[in-house]
Amino acid sequence: MYSADVKLSIMVGNGIFMVIEGLDGSGKTTQAKILAQRLSETYSIYLTAEPSRGRVGTFIREHCLYDQLRLPTEAEALLFAADRIEHMQTELKPALDQGKLVICDRYLYSSLAYQGSSGLNLEWIKSINAYAMQPDFSIFLDVPPEHVLERLHRRRSVMETLEMQRKVREVYLKFVEKGELIVVDGDKPREIVADELYTKILDLLRPVKGYVS
Ligand code: TYD
């Protein structure tokens, strides 16, 4: 047992970078918060999200997600990649350098899934993200597109039509098949998903960087 103020000491400069991906309305933001809360009893956590709160991320949130006049998809992909670099330099890397366990709500696989399903070549998306650091592991919280749209009460962003969500999920699942994303069933009551996610994360954390919890 570890008390709240005796966090497991991940060596400085040796943090863990974890990503949670999923469709809009899949509950990933809520689950990321619950997970961060639980893990914070043991680890020093840095919870963050993309699009980030930085300058490029703020521009994306204000001008790209809800506007009628959309930028060309290539330009969107470049903006998400630029946001990722800014996010990495100003938040992710400093937190990892301090040995924190970073939980990021969306990252590179969001660009592959969303901009990829809008018709862009996945290799090109990877190439413009070549400077983005690799997560230690990435989770895909899987919920059927029909169910996520039922859950979305807020104003829908341009990314949130059923057809689009189906295509996005297909791309995510391709990466699950390749073993790059770890799938967790998100189509269950919130507490059950939270328990399953937590158990999965503890399993993943155990062998990471020789680290035993
Ligand atoms: P989202 O996680 O829904 O943010 P919030 O809950 O704060 O509104 O992300 C906003 C949208 O951005 C979402 O529809 C997915 C999209 N997105 C991309 O298309 N590509 C990306 O690379 C990222 C990070 C997000």
Side-chain angles (χ1 to χ4, degrees), residues 98-172:
Q98 289 166 27
K100 296 198 174 168
L101 195 166
V102 174
I103 301 174
C104 190
D105 176 352
R106 294 198 184 282
Y107 193 63
L108 173 59
Y109 287 101
S110 283
S111 287
L112 293 168
Y114 284 81
Q115 281 63 58
S117 62
S118 296
L120 296 191
N121 179 285
L122 295 185
E123 291 311 313
W124 182 73
I125 299 172
K126 280 185 188 167
S127 74
I128 61 170
N129 283 279
Y131 290 105
M133 48 201 304
Q134 284 294 315
D136 290 297
F137 40 81
S138 305
I139 301 285
F140 172 54
L141 196 61
D142 189 25
V143 176
E146 295 75 12
H147 294 186
V148 297
L149 289 185
E150 281 164 20
R151 288 189 196 178
L152 284 174
H153 299 304
R154 63 184 165 81
R155 189 156 69 117
R156 291 184 180 182
S157 85
V158 287
M159 316 288 181
E160 291 171 0
T161 65
L162 181 58
E163 189 197 358
M164 176 74 181
Q165 297 291 314
R166 283 193 179 128
K167 286 192 197 162
V168 170
R169 180 170 181 257
E170 272 172 33
V171 182
Y172 275 133

Coordinates of all heavy atoms in Angstrom, one line a residue, residues 98-172:
Q98 N 9.8 15.1 -15.6 CA 9.7 15.1 -14.1 C 9.3 13.7 -13.6 O 9.0 13.6 -12.4 CB 8.7 16.1 -13.7 CG 9.1 17.6 -13.8 CD 7.9 18.5 -13.7 OE1 6.9 18.3 -13.1 NE2 8.0 19.7 -14.4
G99 N 9.3 12.8 -14.5 CA 8.9 11.4 -14.1 C 7.5 11.1 -13.9 O 7.1 10.2 -13.2
K100 N 6.6 12.0 -14.4 CA 5.2 11.8 -14.2 C 4.6 10.7 -15.1 O 5.1 10.4 -16.2 CB 4.4 13.1 -14.5 CG 4.9 14.2 -13.4 CD 3.9 15.3 -13.3 CE 4.4 16.1 -12.2 NZ 3.8 17.4 -12.1
L101 N 3.4 10.3 -14.7 CA 2.7 9.4 -15.6 C 1.7 10.3 -16.3 O 0.8 10.9 -15.7 CB 1.9 8.3 -14.7 CG 1.3 7.1 -15.5 CD1 0.9 6.0 -14.5 CD2 0.2 7.5 -16.4
V102 N 1.9 10.4 -17.6 CA 1.1 11.4 -18.4 C -0.1 10.6 -19.1 O 0.1 9.6 -19.7 CB 1.9 12.0 -19.5 CG1 1.1 12.9 -20.4 CG2 3.0 12.9 -18.9
I103 N -1.3 11.1 -18.8 CA -2.4 10.5 -19.5 C -3.0 11.5 -20.5 O -3.3 12.6 -20.1 CB -3.6 10.2 -18.5 CG1 -3.0 9.2 -17.4 CG2 -4.8 9.6 -19.2 CD1 -4.0 8.9 -16.3
C104 N -2.9 11.2 -21.8 CA -3.3 12.1 -22.8 C -4.6 11.7 -23.5 O -4.7 10.6 -24.0 CB -2.2 12.3 -23.8 SG -2.5 13.7 -25.0
D105 N -5.7 12.5 -23.4 CA -7.0 12.2 -24.0 C -6.9 12.6 -25.5 O -6.9 13.8 -25.8 CB -8.0 13.1 -23.2 CG -9.4 13.0 -23.7 OD1 -9.6 12.4 -24.8 OD2 -10.3 13.6 -23.0
R106 N -6.7 11.7 -26.3 CA -6.4 11.8 -27.8 C -5.0 12.1 -28.0 O -4.4 12.9 -27.3 CB -7.3 12.9 -28.5 CG -8.8 12.6 -28.5 CD -9.4 13.4 -29.6 NE -10.9 13.2 -29.5 CZ -11.5 12.2 -30.1 NH1 -10.8 11.3 -30.7 NH2 -12.8 12.0 -30.0
Y107 N -4.5 11.6 -29.2 CA -3.1 11.9 -29.6 C -3.0 11.5 -31.1 O -4.0 11.6 -31.8 CB -2.1 11.1 -28.7 CG -0.7 11.5 -28.8 CD1 -0.3 12.8 -28.5 CD2 0.3 10.6 -29.3 CE1 1.1 13.2 -28.6 CE2 1.6 11.0 -29.4 CZ 2.0 12.3 -29.1 OH 3.3 12.7 -29.2
L108 N -1.9 11.0 -31.5 CA -1.6 10.7 -32.9 C -2.7 9.8 -33.6 O -3.1 10.1 -34.7 CB -0.3 10.1 -33.1 CG 0.1 9.6 -34.4 CD1 0.1 10.7 -35.5 CD2 1.5 9.0 -34.4
Y109 N -3.2 8.8 -32.9 CA -4.2 8.0 -33.5 C -5.5 8.7 -33.8 O -6.2 8.3 -34.7 CB -4.5 6.7 -32.6 CG -3.3 5.8 -32.7 CD1 -2.3 5.7 -31.7 CD2 -3.1 5.0 -33.8 CE1 -1.2 4.9 -31.8 CE2 -2.0 4.2 -33.9 CZ -1.1 4.1 -32.9 OH 0.0 3.3 -33.0
S110 N -5.8 9.8 -33.1 CA -7.0 10.6 -33.5 C -6.8 11.2 -34.9 O -7.7 11.2 -35.7 CB -7.2 11.7 -32.5 OG -7.8 11.3 -31.3
S111 N -5.5 11.7 -35.2 CA -5.3 12.2 -36.5 C -5.4 11.1 -37.6 O -6.0 11.3 -38.6 CB -3.9 12.8 -36.6 OG -3.8 14.0 -35.9
L112 N -4.8 9.9 -37.2 CA -4.9 8.8 -38.2 C -6.3 8.4 -38.4 O -6.8 8.2 -39.6 CB -4.1 7.6 -37.7 CG -2.6 7.9 -37.6 CD1 -1.9 6.8 -36.8 CD2 -2.0 8.0 -39.0
A113 N -7.1 8.3 -37.4 CA -8.5 7.9 -37.5 C -9.4 8.9 -38.1 O -10.2 8.6 -39.0 CB -9.0 7.5 -36.1
Y114 N -9.3 10.2 -37.6 CA -10.2 11.2 -38.1 C -9.8 11.8 -39.5 O -10.6 11.8 -40.4 CB -10.4 12.3 -37.1 CG -11.3 12.0 -35.9 CD1 -10.8 11.2 -34.9 CD2 -12.6 12.3 -35.9 CE1 -11.6 10.8 -33.8 CE2 -13.4 12.0 -34.9 CZ -12.9 11.2 -33.8 OH -13.7 10.8 -32.8
Q115 N -8.6 12.2 -39.6 CA -8.2 12.8 -40.9 C -7.9 11.7 -41.9 O -8.2 11.9 -43.1 CB -6.9 13.7 -40.7 CG -7.2 15.1 -40.1 CD -7.7 15.1 -38.7 OE1 -7.1 14.5 -37.8 NE2 -8.9 15.7 -38.6
G116 N -7.5 10.5 -41.4 CA -7.4 9.4 -42.3 C -8.7 8.9 -42.9 O -8.9 8.7 -44.1
S117 N -9.8 8.9 -42.0 CA -11.1 8.5 -42.6 C -11.7 9.6 -43.4 O -12.7 9.4 -44.1 CB -12.0 8.1 -41.4 OG -12.2 9.1 -40.6
S118 N -11.1 10.8 -43.4 CA -11.6 11.9 -44.3 C -10.9 11.8 -45.6 O -11.0 12.7 -46.4 CB -11.3 13.3 -43.6 OG -12.1 13.4 -42.5
G119 N -10.1 10.8 -45.8 CA -9.5 10.5 -47.1 C -8.0 10.8 -47.2 O -7.4 10.6 -48.3
L120 N -7.3 11.2 -46.1 CA -5.9 11.4 -46.2 C -5.1 10.1 -46.1 O -5.5 9.2 -45.4 CB -5.4 12.4 -45.1 CG -6.0 13.8 -45.2 CD1 -5.3 14.7 -44.3 CD2 -5.9 14.4 -46.6
N121 N -4.0 10.1 -46.7 CA -3.1 8.9 -46.7 C -2.5 8.8 -45.3 O -1.9 9.7 -44.8 CB -2.0 9.2 -47.8 CG -1.1 8.0 -47.8 OD1 -0.2 7.9 -46.9 ND2 -1.2 7.2 -48.8
L122 N -2.6 7.6 -44.7 CA -2.1 7.4 -43.4 C -0.6 7.6 -43.2 O -0.1 8.1 -42.2 CB -2.5 6.0 -42.8 CG -4.0 5.7 -42.7 CD1 -4.2 4.3 -42.0 CD2 -4.7 6.7 -41.9
E123 N 0.1 7.2 -44.3 CA 1.6 7.4 -44.2 C 1.9 8.9 -44.2 O 2.9 9.3 -43.6 CB 2.3 6.7 -45.4 CG 2.2 5.2 -45.3 CD 2.6 4.6 -44.0 OE1 3.7 5.0 -43.5 OE2 1.9 3.8 -43.4
W124 N 1.2 9.7 -45.0 CA 1.4 11.1 -45.0 C 1.1 11.7 -43.6 O 1.9 12.5 -43.1 CB 0.6 11.8 -46.0 CG 0.9 13.3 -46.1 CD1 2.0 13.9 -46.6 CD2 0.1 14.4 -45.5 NE1 1.9 15.3 -46.4 CE2 0.8 15.6 -45.7 CE3 -1.2 14.4 -44.9 CZ2 0.3 16.8 -45.3 CZ3 -1.7 15.6 -44.5 CH2 -1.0 16.8 -44.7
I125 N 0.0 11.3 -43.0 CA -0.3 11.8 -41.6 C 0.8 11.4 -40.7 O 1.3 12.2 -39.9 CB -1.6 11.2 -41.1 CG1 -2.8 11.7 -42.1 CG2 -1.9 11.7 -39.7 CD1 -4.1 11.0 -41.8
K126 N 1.3 10.1 -40.8 CA 2.4 9.7 -39.9 C 3.7 10.6 -40.2 O 4.4 11.0 -39.3 CB 2.8 8.2 -40.2 CG 1.9 7.3 -39.5 CD 2.4 5.9 -39.7 CE 1.4 4.9 -39.2 NZ 1.6 3.5 -39.6
S127 N 3.9 10.9 -41.5 CA 5.1 11.6 -41.8 C 5.1 13.1 -41.2 O 6.1 13.6 -40.7 CB 5.4 11.7 -43.3 OG 4.5 12.5 -43.9
I128 N 3.9 13.7 -41.2 CA 3.9 15.1 -40.7 C 3.9 15.0 -39.1 O 4.0 16.1 -38.5 CB 2.6 15.9 -41.2 CG1 1.3 15.2 -40.8 CG2 2.7 16.1 -42.7 CD1 0.1 16.1 -41.1
N129 N 3.7 13.8 -38.6 CA 3.8 13.7 -37.1 C 5.1 13.0 -36.7 O 5.2 12.5 -35.6 CB 2.6 12.9 -36.6 CG 1.3 13.7 -36.6 OD1 1.1 14.5 -35.6 ND2 0.5 13.6 -37.6
A130 N 6.1 13.0 -37.6 CA 7.3 12.2 -37.3 C 8.0 12.7 -36.1 O 8.7 11.9 -35.4 CB 8.2 12.4 -38.5
Y131 N 7.8 14.0 -35.7 CA 8.5 14.5 -34.5 C 7.7 14.2 -33.2 O 8.2 14.5 -32.1 CB 8.8 16.0 -34.6 CG 9.8 16.3 -35.7 CD1 9.5 16.8 -36.9 CD2 11.2 16.0 -35.4 CE1 10.4 17.1 -37.9 CE2 12.1 16.3 -36.4 CZ 11.8 16.8 -37.6 OH 12.7 17.1 -38.5
A132 N 6.5 13.7 -33.3 CA 5.7 13.4 -32.1 C 6.3 12.2 -31.4 O 6.6 11.2 -32.0 CB 4.3 13.2 -32.5
M133 N 6.4 12.3 -30.1 CA 7.0 11.2 -29.3 C 6.0 10.0 -29.3 O 4.8 10.2 -29.3 CB 7.4 11.6 -27.9 CG 6.4 12.4 -27.2 SD 7.3 13.4 -25.9 CE 8.1 12.1 -25.0
Q134 N 6.5 8.9 -29.2 CA 5.7 7.6 -29.1 C 5.2 7.4 -27.7 O 6.0 7.5 -26.8 CB 6.6 6.4 -29.5 CG 6.9 6.3 -30.9 CD 5.7 6.0 -31.8 OE1 4.9 5.1 -31.4 NE2 5.5 6.7 -32.9
P135 N 3.9 7.1 -27.6 CA 3.4 6.8 -26.3 C 3.9 5.4 -25.8 O 4.3 4.6 -26.7 CB 1.9 6.7 -26.5 CG 1.6 7.3 -27.8 CD 2.9 7.2 -28.6
D136 N 4.0 5.2 -24.5 CA 4.3 3.8 -24.0 C 3.2 2.9 -24.4 O 3.4 1.7 -24.7 CB 4.6 3.8 -22.5 CG 5.9 4.6 -22.2 OD1 7.0 4.1 -22.7 OD2 5.9 5.6 -21.6
F137 N 2.0 3.3 -24.2 CA 0.8 2.5 -24.7 C -0.4 3.4 -25.0 O -0.6 4.4 -24.3 CB 0.5 1.3 -23.8 CG 0.6 1.6 -22.4 CD1 -0.5 2.2 -21.7 CD2 1.7 1.2 -21.6 CE1 -0.4 2.4 -20.3 CE2 1.7 1.4 -20.3 CZ 0.7 2.0 -19.6
S138 N -1.2 2.9 -25.9 CA -2.4 3.7 -26.3 C -3.6 2.7 -26.2 O -3.6 1.6 -26.7 CB -2.2 4.1 -27.8 OG -1.1 4.9 -27.9
I139 N -4.6 3.2 -25.6 CA -5.9 2.5 -25.4 C -6.9 3.0 -26.3 O -7.0 4.2 -26.5 CB -6.4 2.7 -23.9 CG1 -5.3 2.3 -22.9 CG2 -7.7 2.1 -23.7 CD1 -5.2 0.8 -22.7
F140 N -7.7 2.1 -26.9 CA -8.9 2.5 -27.6 C -10.1 2.0 -26.9 O -10.3 0.8 -26.7 CB -8.9 1.8 -29.0 CG -10.1 2.1 -29.8 CD1 -10.6 3.3 -30.0 CD2 -10.8 1.0 -30.4 CE1 -11.8 3.5 -30.7 CE2 -12.0 1.2 -31.1 CZ -12.5 2.5 -31.3
L141 N -10.9 3.0 -26.4 CA -12.1 2.7 -25.7 C -13.2 2.5 -26.7 O -13.7 3.5 -27.3 CB -12.4 3.9 -24.8 CG -13.4 3.7 -23.7 CD1 -12.9 2.6 -22.7 CD2 -13.6 5.0 -22.9
D142 N -13.6 1.3 -26.9 CA -14.5 1.0 -28.1 C -16.0 1.0 -27.7 O -16.4 0.3 -26.8 CB -14.1 -0.4 -28.6 CG -14.9 -0.7 -29.9 OD1 -15.2 0.3 -30.6 OD2 -15.1 -1.9 -30.2
V143 N -16.7 1.9 -28.4 CA -18.2 2.0 -28.2 C -18.8 2.0 -29.6 O -18.3 2.8 -30.5 CB -18.6 3.2 -27.4 CG1 -20.1 3.4 -27.3 CG2 -18.0 3.2 -26.0
P144 N -19.8 1.2 -29.9 CA -20.4 1.3 -31.3 C -20.8 2.7 -31.7 O -21.4 3.4 -30.8 CB -21.6 0.4 -31.2 CG -21.4 -0.5 -30.0 CD -20.6 0.3 -29.1
P145 N -20.6 3.1 -32.9 CA -21.0 4.5 -33.3 C -22.4 4.9 -33.0 O -22.7 6.0 -32.7 CB -20.7 4.5 -34.8 CG -19.7 3.4 -35.0 CD -19.9 2.4 -34.0
E146 N -23.3 3.9 -33.2 CA -24.8 4.2 -32.9 C -24.9 4.6 -31.5 O -25.8 5.5 -31.2 CB -25.6 3.0 -33.2 CG -25.7 2.5 -34.6 CD -24.4 1.8 -35.1 OE1 -23.6 1.4 -34.2 OE2 -24.3 1.6 -36.3
H147 N -24.2 4.0 -30.6 CA -24.4 4.3 -29.2 C -23.7 5.6 -28.8 O -24.3 6.3 -27.9 CB -23.8 3.2 -28.3 CG -24.6 1.9 -28.5 ND1 -24.3 0.8 -27.7 CD2 -25.6 1.6 -29.3 CE1 -25.1 -0.2 -28.1 NE2 -25.9 0.3 -29.1
V148 N -22.6 5.9 -29.4 CA -21.9 7.2 -29.0 C -22.8 8.4 -29.5 O -22.9 9.4 -28.7 CB -20.5 7.4 -29.6 CG1 -19.6 6.4 -29.1 CG2 -20.5 7.5 -31.1
L149 N -23.5 8.3 -30.6 CA -24.3 9.4 -31.1 C -25.5 9.6 -30.2 O -25.9 10.7 -29.9 CB -24.7 9.2 -32.5 CG -23.5 9.4 -33.5 CD1 -24.0 9.3 -35.0 CD2 -22.8 10.7 -33.3
E150 N -26.0 8.5 -29.6 CA -27.1 8.6 -28.6 C -26.7 9.4 -27.4 O -27.4 10.1 -26.8 CB -27.6 7.2 -28.2 CG -28.5 6.5 -29.2 CD -28.6 5.0 -28.9 OE1 -28.4 4.6 -27.8 OE2 -29.0 4.3 -29.9
R151 N -25.4 9.1 -27.0 CA -24.9 9.7 -25.8 C -24.6 11.2 -26.0 O -24.4 11.9 -25.0 CB -23.6 9.0 -25.4 CG -23.8 7.7 -24.9 CD -22.4 7.3 -24.3 NE -22.3 5.8 -24.1 CZ -21.2 5.3 -23.6 NH1 -20.1 6.0 -23.4 NH2 -21.1 4.0 -23.4
L152 N -24.4 11.7 -27.2 CA -23.9 13.0 -27.4 C -25.1 14.0 -27.3 O -26.0 14.1 -28.1 CB -23.3 13.2 -28.8 CG -21.9 12.7 -28.9 CD1 -21.4 12.8 -30.4 CD2 -20.9 13.4 -28.0
H153 N -25.1 14.8 -26.2 CA -26.2 15.7 -26.0 C -25.7 17.1 -26.4 O -26.5 18.0 -26.8 CB -26.6 15.8 -24.5 CG -27.1 14.5 -24.1 ND1 -28.1 13.8 -24.7 CD2 -26.7 13.7 -23.0 CE1 -28.4 12.7 -24.1 NE2 -27.5 12.6 -23.0
R154 N -24.4 17.4 -26.3 CA -23.9 18.7 -26.7 C -23.9 18.9 -28.2 O -24.2 18.0 -28.9 CB -22.5 18.9 -26.1 CG -21.5 17.9 -26.7 CD -20.2 18.1 -26.1 NE -19.3 17.0 -26.4 CZ -18.6 16.9 -27.5 NH1 -18.7 17.8 -28.4 NH2 -17.8 15.9 -27.7
R155 N -23.6 20.1 -28.6 CA -23.6 20.5 -30.0 C -22.6 19.6 -30.7 O -21.4 19.4 -30.2 CB -23.1 21.9 -30.1 CG -23.3 22.4 -31.6 CD -23.4 23.9 -31.5 NE -22.1 24.5 -31.1 CZ -21.4 25.4 -31.8 NH1 -21.8 25.6 -33.0 NH2 -20.3 25.9 -31.4
R156 N -23.0 19.0 -31.8 CA -22.1 18.1 -32.5 C -21.0 18.8 -33.3 O -21.3 19.8 -33.9 CB -22.9 17.2 -33.5 CG -23.8 16.2 -32.7 CD -24.5 15.3 -33.7 NE -25.3 14.4 -33.0 CZ -26.0 13.5 -33.5 NH1 -26.0 13.3 -34.8 NH2 -26.7 12.6 -32.8
S157 N -19.8 18.3 -33.2 CA -18.8 18.9 -34.0 C -18.9 18.4 -35.4 O -19.6 17.4 -35.7 CB -17.4 18.7 -33.4 OG -16.9 17.4 -33.9
V158 N -18.1 18.9 -36.3 CA -18.1 18.5 -37.7 C -17.7 17.0 -37.9 O -17.9 16.4 -38.9 CB -17.2 19.4 -38.6 CG1 -17.9 20.7 -38.8 CG2 -15.8 19.5 -38.0
M159 N -17.1 16.5 -36.8 CA -16.5 15.1 -36.9 C -17.6 14.1 -36.5 O -17.3 12.9 -36.4 CB -15.3 14.9 -36.0 CG -14.3 16.1 -36.1 SD -13.4 16.1 -37.6 CE -12.3 17.5 -37.3
E160 N -18.8 14.5 -36.2 CA -19.6 13.6 -35.4 C -20.9 13.0 -36.2 O -21.8 12.7 -35.5 CB -20.1 14.3 -34.1 CG -18.9 14.4 -33.2 CD -19.2 15.3 -32.0 OE1 -20.3 15.8 -31.9 OE2 -18.3 15.5 -31.1
T161 N -20.8 12.9 -37.5 CA -22.0 12.2 -38.1 C -21.7 10.7 -38.0 O -20.6 10.2 -37.8 CB -22.1 12.5 -39.6 OG1 -20.9 12.0 -40.2 CG2 -22.1 14.0 -39.8
L162 N -22.9 9.9 -38.1 CA -22.8 8.5 -37.9 C -21.8 7.8 -38.9 O -21.0 7.0 -38.6 CB -24.2 7.8 -38.1 CG -24.2 6.3 -37.9 CD1 -23.7 5.9 -36.5 CD2 -25.7 5.8 -38.1
E163 N -21.9 8.3 -40.2 CA -21.1 7.7 -41.2 C -19.6 7.9 -40.9 O -18.7 7.0 -41.0 CB -21.4 8.3 -42.6 CG -20.8 7.6 -43.7 CD -20.8 8.5 -45.0 OE1 -21.4 9.6 -45.0 OE2 -20.3 8.1 -46.0
M164 N -19.3 9.2 -40.5 CA -18.0 9.5 -40.1 C -17.4 8.7 -39.0 O -16.3 8.2 -39.0 CB -17.9 11.0 -39.8 CG -16.6 11.6 -39.3 SD -15.5 11.7 -40.7 CE -14.0 12.4 -39.8
Q165 N -18.3 8.6 -38.0 CA -17.9 7.8 -36.8 C -17.6 6.3 -37.1 O -16.7 5.7 -36.6 CB -18.9 7.9 -35.7 CG -19.2 9.3 -35.1 CD -18.0 9.8 -34.3 OE1 -17.4 9.1 -33.5 NE2 -17.6 11.0 -34.6
R166 N -18.4 5.8 -38.0 CA -18.2 4.4 -38.5 C -16.8 4.2 -39.1 O -16.0 3.3 -38.8 CB -19.2 3.9 -39.5 CG -20.5 3.6 -38.8 CD -21.4 2.9 -39.8 NE -22.7 2.5 -39.1 CZ -23.9 2.8 -39.6 NH1 -24.0 3.4 -40.7 NH2 -25.0 2.5 -38.9
K167 N -16.5 5.2 -40.0 CA -15.2 5.2 -40.7 C -14.0 5.3 -39.7 O -13.0 4.7 -39.8 CB -15.1 6.3 -41.7 CG -15.9 6.0 -42.9 CD -15.5 7.1 -44.0 CE -16.5 7.3 -45.1 NZ -16.3 8.5 -45.8
V168 N -14.2 6.3 -38.7 CA -13.2 6.5 -37.7 C -12.9 5.3 -36.9 O -11.8 4.9 -36.7 CB -13.7 7.7 -36.8 CG1 -12.7 7.8 -35.6 CG2 -13.7 9.0 -37.6
R169 N -14.0 4.6 -36.5 CA -13.9 3.4 -35.7 C -13.1 2.3 -36.5 O -12.3 1.6 -36.0 CB -15.2 2.8 -35.3 CG -15.1 1.5 -34.5 CD -16.5 1.2 -33.9 NE -16.4 0.0 -33.1 CZ -16.9 -1.2 -33.5 NH1 -17.4 -1.3 -34.7 NH2 -16.8 -2.2 -32.7
E170 N -13.4 2.2 -37.8 CA -12.7 1.2 -38.7 C -11.2 1.4 -38.6 O -10.4 0.5 -38.6 CB -13.2 1.3 -40.1 CG -14.4 0.4 -40.4 CD -15.0 0.7 -41.8 OE1 -14.2 1.0 -42.7 OE2 -16.2 0.6 -41.9
V171 N -10.8 2.7 -38.7 CA -9.4 3.0 -38.7 C -8.8 2.6 -37.3 O -7.7 1.9 -37.3 CB -9.0 4.4 -39.0 CG1 -7.5 4.7 -39.1 CG2 -9.6 4.9 -40.3
Y172 N -9.5 3.0 -36.3 CA -9.0 2.6 -34.9 C -8.8 1.1 -34.9 O -7.8 0.6 -34.3 CB -9.9 3.1 -33.9 CG -9.8 4.5 -33.4 CD1 -10.9 5.3 -33.3 CD2 -8.6 5.0 -33.0 CE1 -10.8 6.6 -32.8 CE2 -8.4 6.3 -32.5 CZ -9.5 7.1 -32.4 OH -9.4 8.4 -31.9

